[in-house]
Amino acid sequence: MDPEVKQENSTEFETPESGTMRKLSSSEQAQEQWQQLGEQASRFLKDLPAYLSEFFSEYRQPIVTVGLVLAIFLTAKVAFAILGAINEIPLLAPSFEIIGIGYTAWFVYRYLLKASSRNELSNDFSSLKEQVLGQRDQIMDKFSTKE
């Protein structure tokens, strides 16, 4: 036996052009596999916008909800980072505390000590709620027309 004789891996397969069988070497098989993978990737990338639009239209509400939760989380992180940075500035944190205590004392004196001022605050709150949510009649009309 001759040890220098190399045995080449080959496989028979039918070519689509001629319908005949021919042998492919291992390098040709690898090239054929890469070509098939490339075609599959090309088809996938071509259909990707359609897949994404279908996915988004089907799951719009959960996607928006997750996006809002992430936006709220990021906003809170940034706000806390800014407040932490401000808190590190000397004399600024104590002055903000004094301003907060003063505003709280003024609010209690202005709106919470007397019954008439509490009624005024309640009326102001009710008018603000009507501006934001709409009048009570309009709200009830919207719910009654959905039935």
Side-chain angles (χ1 to χ4, degrees):
M1 286 211 211
D2 190 19
E4 292 182 13
V5 174
K6 292 183 181 176
Q7 189 174 16
E8 189 174 302
N9 291 339
S10 62
T11 306
E12 289 186 7
F13 104 80
E14 189 174 331
T15 60
E17 304 88 33
S18 63
T20 61
M21 298 289 277
R22 72 177 195 137
K23 290 188 175 191
L24 289 179
S25 67
S26 60
S27 64
E28 288 176 332
Q29 286 176 345
Q31 186 179 11
E32 185 72 27
Q33 288 176 348
W34 278 109
Q35 202 170 29
Q36 288 175 353
L37 284 174
E39 289 172 3
Q40 288 176 348
S42 172
R43 271 186 263 128
F44 174 75
L45 290 174
K46 184 181 87 177
D47 295 337
L48 186 63
Y51 292 146
L52 290 177
S53 64
E54 181 182 331
F55 178 81
F56 186 73
S57 65
E58 187 172 338
Y59 297 107
R60 179 176 302 219
Q61 188 65 34
I63 291 171
V64 169
T65 302
V66 168
L68 286 174
V69 167
L70 288 175
I72 290 170
F73 178 74
L74 287 174
T75 303
K77 290 284 276 185
V78 168
F80 287 133
I82 290 171
L83 288 175
I86 289 174
N87 198 25
E88 295 296 319
I89 299 173
L91 296 178
L92 202 54
S95 62
F96 281 149
E97 287 180 20
I98 291 172
I99 291 169
I101 290 170
Y103 181 78
T104 302
W106 171 83
F107 186 83
V108 167
Y109 174 75
R110 170 70 177 90
Y111 288 111
L112 301 180
L113 286 181
K114 300 177 190 167
S116 62
S117 61
R118 285 193 299 268
N119 286 336
E120 178 186 346
L121 179 63
S122 175
N123 291 338
D124 289 344
F125 183 74
S126 296
S127 69
L128 178 63
K129 187 171 75 171
E130 285 179 4
Q131 288 176 357
V132 172
L133 299 177
Q135 301 241 344
R136 182 171 172 80
D137 301 342
Q138 293 171 348
I139 294 172
M140 298 309 279
D141 289 342
K142 287 181 183 179
F143 286 121
S144 63
T145 55
K146 286 186 177 181
E147 293 177 6

